Amino acid sequence: MPAPSAERLMRSRYTAFVVGDAAHLLRSWHPRTRPDEIVVDDGTTWRGLVIDGAEEDGDAGVVSFRAAWRQHGIDGELHERSRFVRRGGRWVYVDGDVD
């Protein structure tokens, strides 16, 4: 079932990173900006997602989030403002600005 909003797609993509589902990440990425392959790092543990804001305007959406991670004993947090578009009735990730 397609995600009903850009925010829901963002949440499903985070979950895909948590469980290592590279196929979902590729499927949910806009073909114009999608890489040829995605390698999910087994050494990274994703520890939580906080949505700071989400907005949609027609077929465009922006989701700002923070995702906590731990990699090789080091804790960190990814801050991103992600852009999404609805394409053929489905939301897809386009790109994002990382703080």
Side-chain angles (χ1 to χ4, degrees):
M1 170 185 291
S5 67
E7 180 180 346
R8 291 294 299 213
L9 180 60
M10 178 62 245
R11 290 179 182 280
S12 78
R13 288 176 56 81
Y14 170 79
T15 299
F17 276 105
V18 169
V19 300
D21 187 354
H24 176 66
L25 294 169
L26 286 171
R27 277 191 315 271
S28 61
W29 207 314
H30 195 290
R32 180 174 43 87
T33 57
R34 178 178 54 220
D36 292 333
E37 68 177 324
I38 295 174
V39 177
V40 180
D41 186 350
D42 292 338
T44 301
T45 301
W46 293 96
R47 304 178 73 174
L49 174 68
V50 175
I51 302 295
D52 292 320
E55 49 192 75
E56 292 178 12
D57 185 10
D59 289 334
V62 174
V63 178
S64 298
F65 70 91
R66 292 174 282 140
W69 52 266
R70 182 170 183 84
Q71 184 177 48
H72 309 296
I74 299 170
D75 294 330
E77 191 170 75
L78 169 67
H79 297 231
E80 184 173 318
R81 180 174 156 81
S82 300
R83 285 177 284 282
F84 297 85
V85 295
R86 192 169 16 217
R87 187 172 188 268
R90 293 180 175 261
W91 285 100
V92 292
Y93 172 77
V94 178
D95 61 15
D97 297 321
V98 177
D99 290 341

